Amino acid sequence: MRKIILSAAAGFVLLAAGNAFAAGGAAVPPAKDWTFQGIFGKFDRDQLKRGYQVYKDICAGCHSLRLVAYRNLMDIGFTEDEVKDIASEYQLPAPPNDDGDTIVDGERLMRAAKPSDHFVSPFANEKAARVANAGAYPPDLSLMVKARKKGPDYIYALLTGYKEEAPEGFALNEGMYYNEYFPGHQIAMAPPLMDESVEYEDGTPATLDQHAKDIVTFLAWTASPELEARKSMGIKVLLFLVVLTAMFYALKRRIWSDVH
Amino acid sequence: MSTSSFNNPVVKWIDERLPVFTMMQHSAVDYPTPKNLNYWWNFGSLAAFVLVIMLLTGIFLAMSYTPHVDHAFVSVERIMRDVNYGWLLRYLHMNGGSMFFIVVYIHMFRGMYYGSYKAPREILWIVGVFLILAMMATAFMGYVLPWGQMSFWGATVITNLFSAIPLVGQEIVTWLWGGFSVDNPTLNRFFSLHYLLPFVIVGLVVVHVWALHTVKSNNPTGVDIKGPEDTIPFHPYYTIKDFYGIGLFLIFYLAFVFYAPDFFGEPDNYIEANPMVTPAHIVPEWYFLPFYAILRAFTFDVLFIPAKLAGVIAMFASIILLAVLPWLDRSKARSARFRPMYKWFFWIFVLDCLVLGYIGAQAAEEPYVTIGQVATFYYFAHLLIIVPLVSKLENPRPLPESISAAVTKSDSE
Ligand code: HEM
């Protein structure tokens, strides 16, 4: 009897905990299969590279990725030279020159970014970002996957969940777009992806579905770059613990055999 | 002074001057322990184990953390990304907090079921109440440090509670904040206190265990130790049992750390704190939810006490009241095993706490508000009415002669 009550109680705790995180408005994003899910989850390197390409070609126009450094791209399969090239395409404000000036001929001195620099943001600050986006602020995407409930599923659903027309009777504001999965359904981001938004170098068919999956995988990596190390360490640690605990148990049985 | 019985000359030399080895021999080796303790008695040592993990991971985290509103969030992400095994440290610490509360809540319910708070263990129990209060303060301030949205808004909501205090409320809040809102001074002092309080907890644990070793452990039958036939030495019997418990516990704990590290967290806390944007739902960490439900149950004034103040008083009272439990429960029998009525009310009380936890996570709307009010009423009714009344009305089943008599009759349960 007590066992039943206990397991019921334990179940209840988990339910309540789960529920605490499940509140919210819009449609529930359907669960998708992701390679990085589960105990043996891993990122697909090719997919990460495609996702990076989607970010770079599309999202980077509006969204920053401030927690990621160019050198981190080596972890997803770019070579050191490639990373140097990638970084050098971006400009950052330079330190003062030998005369102590940062502005020469009315122009801010700039320098090329280095692999150790973090991704250069598309806008100087929030205000500039808002001005360029009709008052809306495109949030930083580094942690987006962890900052939304069911992050990967949600972002996939968001990117593929635009409707050309708002349903009858829905008052869509000027410059807003109707999205099934965005809380409140009005989002200031125009549909960023469609079929053939990006041409993949590896020949993968450029469908909206593929783009969305690839960028979500890439953003899952930017949010949890430790994921693979964590999961593979987890297996080893837990296997070790199971053996150790079994040994403790056997020893406990032996030591206690003379009691009772 | 002490004539030590150790053979090793170095140990002997030290022990004759400072009897640490004698003390260890007494309290961790020979210490007579009831021979019938079940696995619910593992949770005290588990709590101590988690405390050590929290201290160690916390100290290393603090080496790379920056308590400044402009840097805190990013410094935590640096730990996650750039510090070697920083993600492991942080996930251990984050989930360790939740584990600490799981373990200690079970530890407390164990005490309530087996009547461990009763004479002569009142002080042991009261020190426990101080411990849970200190743990809550520590956890609350720790949650503010990563400076995410929930950190900031949770801190704002909870510190604002003090404004309910009549006359000086607002002054107290300003004083707590070190300014006119939760800001850099608040973050700084919270970091300082979050580092300090765990050591206060260590001190309290020492007193806790001291009291325990003075009165000895209770046991599942609740009857006193009558003689040496009732006990076994702590080592090796309970050392190995505690190790086994730690093994099982680590499997549970690390499964979260490695495979669901954000299970107990709020996604909103991965958004940097922003005083201009209020999150849709501000919810505290899960272990505060029952108390949050009690706080919010007071939607009406109680006599001359305004609703907000009543909620705050009730919330603190719900924990502090536990300290007088030894005097509310007048039953001669300790263990619920021999208390047919109390046993049921105990489980209803556990259920009530779970309901409160569930309600604490819901938005303040019907039917949750009413359920929360009923559950809050029941929480206090249990402690103030049911426990005293049951202990008067109930006829406990006959207690066993002694621990060893009970053990020879039935081994398990
Ligand atoms: C930092 C948190 C705590 C630690 C490290 C701790 C540690 C311990 C340890 C090692 C024991 C002996 C083993 C056992 O009986 O499980 C114990 C016993 C006990 N603790 Fe705690 N404890 C903590 C919090 C609390 C709290 C919050 C309460 C109650 C409000 C409490 C009440 C008791 C009681 C009544 C006993 C005696 C149990 C018995 O002999 O039946 N403890 N504690």
Side-chain angles (χ1 to χ4, degrees), chain B residues 37 40-49 51 100 104 107-108 110-111 114-117 121 124-133 135 201 205 208-209 212-213 216-219 242 322:
Chain B
L37 298 187
W40 298 115
W41 267 260
N42 275 52
F43 285 85
S45 72
L46 280 182
F49 177 72
L51 178 60
F100 208 171
V104 170
H107 185 70
M108 292 169 72
R110 183 280 318 261
Y114 294 108
S116 299
Y117 47 82
R121 296 186 182 80
L124 171 61
W125 172 260
I126 291 170
V127 174
V129 174
F130 281 113
L131 271 168
I132 191 79
L133 286 171
M135 279 173 58
I201 293 179
V205 169
H208 193 67
V209 174
L212 174 77
H213 284 208
K216 305 282 181 286
S217 284
N218 184 26
N219 67 85
D242 280 345
L322 294 176

Side-chain angles (χ1 to χ4, degrees), chain B residues 12-128:
Chain B
K12 194 174 158 70
W13 186 90
I14 296 175
D15 203 70
E16 279 166 3
R17 285 153 183 83
L18 183 73
V20 278
F21 294 99
T22 302
M23 194 176 100
M24 269 156 55
Q25 181 79 29
H26 274 302
S27 53
V29 180
D30 299 338
Y31 176 65
T33 316
K35 62 189 195 183
N36 62 335
L37 298 187
N38 57 29
Y39 280 100
W40 298 115
W41 267 260
N42 275 52
F43 285 85
S45 72
L46 280 182
F49 177 72
V50 186
L51 178 60
V52 172
I53 292 191
M54 295 305 278
L55 281 165
L56 288 177
T57 51
I59 288 168
F60 282 99
L61 285 173
M63 293 179 189
S64 309
Y65 170 79
T66 312
H68 187 287
V69 290
D70 293 337
H71 306 292
F73 186 84
V74 172
S75 78
V76 169
E77 280 304 318
R78 285 211 159 247
I79 293 173
M80 294 292 289
R81 289 153 198 269
D82 295 338
V83 173
N84 289 331
Y85 297 106
W87 57 268
L88 183 58
L89 281 177
R90 172 158 190 252
Y91 280 154
L92 281 171
H93 199 76
M94 235 169 89
N95 288 282
S98 284
M99 293 301 139
F100 208 171
F101 280 93
I102 293 177
V103 165
V104 170
Y105 284 154
I106 293 177
H107 185 70
M108 292 169 72
F109 280 127
R110 183 280 318 261
M112 292 180 142
Y113 187 84
Y114 294 108
S116 299
Y117 47 82
K118 292 188 197 183
R121 296 186 182 80
E122 301 94 324
I123 292 186
L124 171 61
W125 172 260
I126 291 170
V127 174

Side-chain angles (χ1 to χ4, degrees), chain A residues 1-2 5-6 9 12-14 16 19-21 23 39 66-67 71 118 142-143 146-149 222-223 225-226 229-231 233-235 237-238 241-242 245 248-249 251-252 255-256 258-260, chain B residues 35 39-40 73-74 77-78 80-82 85 87-88 91 113-114 232 236-238 240-241 243-244 247-248 250-251 254 257-259 261-267 270-272 347 354 358 361 411 413:
Chain A
M1 181 66 208
R2 206 158 64 195
I5 298 179
L6 275 173
F12 196 90
V13 171
L14 292 180
N19 238 303
F21 313 124
I39 295 184
R66 64 180 179 140
L67 298 174
R71 64 179 158 79
H118 281 207
S142 315
L143 282 168
K146 289 213 270 187
R148 294 290 182 277
K149 280 157 189 142
T222 65
E226 87 298 343
R230 167 159 56 78
K231 291 189 173 181
M233 184 194 284
I235 300 200
V237 171
L238 289 179
L241 276 175
V242 167
T245 307
F248 281 147
Y249 181 65
L251 200 56
K252 193 247 156 198
I255 291 174
W256 277 73
D258 64 347
V259 188
H260 295 307
Chain B
K35 62 189 195 183
Y39 280 100
W40 298 115
F73 186 84
V74 172
E77 280 304 318
R78 285 211 159 247
M80 294 292 289
R81 289 153 198 269
D82 295 338
Y85 297 106
W87 57 268
L88 183 58
Y91 280 154
Y113 187 84
Y114 294 108
I232 44 180
Y237 295 102
Y238 284 104
I240 184 64
K241 198 174 175 184
F243 271 112
Y244 173 50
L248 286 179
L250 274 177
I251 292 174
L254 296 185
V257 168
F258 288 114
Y259 294 105
D262 292 311
F263 178 82
F264 295 103
E266 267 293 311
Y270 281 109
I271 304 171
E272 188 165 6
W347 286 112
L354 293 174
Y358 174 79
D411 274 344
E413 213 206 344

Side-chain angles (χ1 to χ4, degrees), chain B residues 159-309:
Chain B
T159 47
N160 251 319
L161 293 178
F162 291 91
S163 69
I165 300 170
L167 304 176
V168 291
Q170 203 53 52
E171 275 74 20
I172 290 183
V173 174
T174 309
W175 174 75
L176 286 174
W177 285 339
F180 298 102
S181 65
V182 173
D183 207 331
N184 204 45
T186 328
L187 180 58
N188 271 265
R189 61 190 56 189
F190 277 20
F191 179 48
S192 167
L193 293 174
H194 183 70
Y195 208 135
L196 171 70
L197 276 181
F199 294 95
V200 174
I201 293 179
V202 171
L204 285 169
V205 169
V206 171
V207 178
H208 193 67
V209 174
W210 180 17
L212 174 77
H213 284 208
T214 308
V215 296
K216 305 282 181 286
S217 284
N218 184 26
N219 67 85
T221 67
V223 299
D224 288 328
I225 298 171
K226 301 265 162 59
E229 70 283 2
D230 289 342
T231 65
I232 44 180
F234 192 81
H235 181 74
Y237 295 102
Y238 284 104
T239 38
I240 184 64
K241 198 174 175 184
D242 280 345
F243 271 112
Y244 173 50
I246 287 175
L248 286 179
F249 166 74
L250 274 177
I251 292 174
F252 178 75
Y253 169 26
L254 296 185
F256 282 102
V257 168
F258 288 114
Y259 294 105
D262 292 311
F263 178 82
F264 295 103
E266 267 293 311
D268 269 11
N269 229 28
Y270 281 109
I271 304 171
E272 188 165 6
N274 184 348
M276 314 302 283
V277 179
T278 318
H281 296 285
I282 302 178
V283 274
E285 289 272 84
W286 69 266
Y287 37 79
F288 291 132
L289 291 174
F291 307 101
Y292 195 52
I294 292 176
L295 170 79
R296 295 192 304 171
F298 288 81
T299 50
F300 47 85
D301 297 353
V302 182
L303 305 174
F304 56 91
I305 308 172
K308 188 173 170 190
L309 181 60

Side-chain angles (χ1 to χ4, degrees), chain A residues 72-235:
Chain A
N72 296 140
L73 290 175
M74 289 200 289
D75 297 343
I76 68 170
F78 288 94
T79 65
E80 200 172 341
D81 288 335
E82 284 171 332
V83 168
K84 273 190 190 141
D85 287 346
I86 291 171
S88 65
E89 290 171 28
Y90 298 89
Q91 295 285 309
L92 283 166
N97 65 13
D98 291 347
D99 302 328
D101 295 329
T102 52
I103 297 176
V104 175
D105 300 335
E107 294 262 343
R108 181 70 172 82
L109 285 180
M110 300 298 274
R111 67 164 173 91
K114 294 185 299 242
S116 58
D117 286 314
H118 281 207
F119 275 40
V120 175
S121 301
F123 302 104
N125 53 38
E126 179 171 340
K127 206 168 170 191
R130 282 189 190 277
V131 168
N133 285 282
Y137 177 56
D140 185 85
L141 292 183
S142 315
L143 282 168
M144 188 55 78
V145 164
K146 289 213 270 187
R148 294 290 182 277
K149 280 157 189 142
K150 300 182 171 192
D153 295 333
Y154 167 72
I155 298 173
Y156 176 89
L158 181 83
L159 294 171
T160 56
Y162 282 92
K163 289 271 171 302
E164 300 253 336
E165 306 250 326
E168 196 94 22
F170 186 91
L172 195 63
N173 291 334
E174 181 68 27
M176 301 293 268
Y177 303 85
Y178 186 85
N179 190 300
E180 275 193 89
Y181 297 97
F182 190 68
H185 299 304
Q186 308 220 25
I187 184 163
M189 169 169 71
L193 293 175
M194 58 194 87
D195 288 343
E196 284 163 34
S197 281
V198 175
E199 197 183 327
Y200 289 131
E201 282 159 20
D202 64 2
T204 306
T207 59
L208 167 60
D209 169 70
Q210 189 65 43
H211 292 327
K213 279 184 189 152
D214 292 350
I215 182 69
V216 167
T217 301
F218 177 70
L219 293 179
W221 171 75
T222 65
S224 310
E226 87 298 343
L227 182 139
E228 290 180 347
R230 167 159 56 78
K231 291 189 173 181
S232 73
M233 184 194 284
I235 300 200

